[in-house]
Amino acid sequence: MDGAHRAALQLQQLPPASSADPVSEASFSYKENLIGALLAIFGHLVVSIALNLQKYCHIRLAGSKDPRAYFKTKTWWLGLFLMLLGELGVFASYAFAPLSLIVPLSAVSVIASAIIGIIFIKEKWKPKDFLRRYILSFVGCGLAIVGTYLLVTFAPNSHEKMTGENIIRHLVSWPFLLYMLVEIILFCLLLYFYKERNANNIVVILLLVALLGSMTVVTVKAVAGMLVLSIQGNLQLDYPIFYVMLVCMVATAIYQAAYAKHA
């Protein structure tokens, strides 16, 4: 009896075999967040370099007698290649880190473009515009850096895997359904004023783009996460929700570009 009692006590003291190690799980989440943040920073930095390269190409052609079109220059194509590379990096970052960490890092593109425009493109300015164009720009960049740091610092350290089951579970949850209802109502109202009342105000157009952009971010997160899991061996491409998210991502991105063109 004593031996059986001693064996039972030893079995009770053993940790459950199925419990996950919180330290290793936290470390894994930290590594994923770091990979996602680095990919996002790299992508936005490369995109800002690409845009400024293309702008430099347009400026150089406008100030010269070169009869070539911009798309026949190596500089413009290099900018296009870098833009695709940067957007690919940003797309991949959504698969590794939560949206609350990745989205604020878009400020990197704004800050980098401001610095590149001042130093390398040497944009012309007048002394009376110094306060408006430079000091306020530096203040804005500083606020963007501080805000990004705070958001990244307090971002969640873990996030769910973007499996088909998890995505479907979130799509039918009442917070997401409420969010979709509010977004659809606001979008229809803005679209009514834009189309029927000819409200071509910049605020209306930017609100339309912002509402579409929020859906683009959600669908990109789902598509990128499912693609990465599929590459890692956990196939997710046989879920119909993947193709629904893919179509929504492409459609919202196209309509964003269409409305932003009129801004």
Side-chain angles (χ1 to χ4, degrees), residues 17-204:
S18 60
S19 62
D21 186 2
V23 176
S24 62
E25 184 178 353
S27 176
F28 180 70
S29 298
Y30 173 78
K31 290 178 181 178
E32 282 197 328
N33 283 1
L34 181 61
I35 293 172
L38 291 176
L39 282 172
I41 292 172
F42 167 79
H44 287 299
L45 183 61
V46 172
V47 166
S48 64
I49 294 173
L51 291 174
N52 280 278
L53 269 177
Q54 291 184 325
K55 182 178 181 180
Y56 172 76
C57 174
H58 287 289
I59 293 174
R60 189 179 63 179
L61 289 176
S64 66
K65 297 180 180 180
D66 193 341
R68 291 182 301 168
Y70 64 88
F71 54 84
K72 293 184 178 180
T73 61
K74 295 180 180 180
T75 305
W76 189 87
W77 282 104
L78 176 61
L80 181 62
F81 170 76
L82 291 177
M83 185 183 299
L84 293 176
L85 180 63
E87 292 293 350
L88 181 62
V90 175
F91 177 81
S93 68
Y94 284 99
F96 292 96
L99 293 177
S100 56
L101 174 61
I102 297 301
V103 173
L105 291 175
S106 60
V108 172
S109 180
V110 178
I111 297 170
S113 295
I115 295 174
I116 293 172
I118 294 173
I119 297 177
F120 296 102
I121 297 184
K122 302 184 184 300
E123 295 179 340
K124 296 181 180 179
W125 58 278
K126 298 178 181 179
K128 65 179 182 180
D129 294 334
F130 181 80
L131 177 64
R132 179 172 61 87
R133 299 188 60 182
Y134 287 93
I135 294 182
L136 292 180
S137 295
F138 285 121
V139 171
C141 289
L143 291 175
I145 293 172
V146 173
T148 301
Y149 170 77
L150 292 175
L151 286 169
V152 170
T153 301
F154 295 103
N157 292 324
S158 61
H159 61 103
E160 289 183 321
K161 296 291 185 182
M162 287 291 100
T163 60
E165 292 89 349
N166 286 337
I167 293 173
I168 294 173
R169 178 167 53 85
H170 286 295
L171 288 179
V172 298
S173 63
W174 71 264
F176 185 80
L177 294 176
L178 180 61
Y179 156 75
M180 283 297 301
L181 178 63
V182 173
E183 173 148 330
I184 290 172
I185 292 174
L186 289 176
F187 186 82
C188 291
L189 286 174
L190 290 170
L191 193 61
Y192 169 76
F193 284 109
Y194 178 73
K195 293 289 187 181
E196 300 297 330
R197 298 298 180 89
N198 294 323
N200 293 329
N201 190 284
I202 185 67
V203 176
V204 175

Side-chain angles (χ1 to χ4, degrees), residues 183 208-218 252 256:
E183 173 148 330
L208 286 170
V209 174
L211 290 174
L212 289 171
S214 66
M215 280 303 302
T216 304
V217 168
V218 173
T252 53
Q256 273 188 86

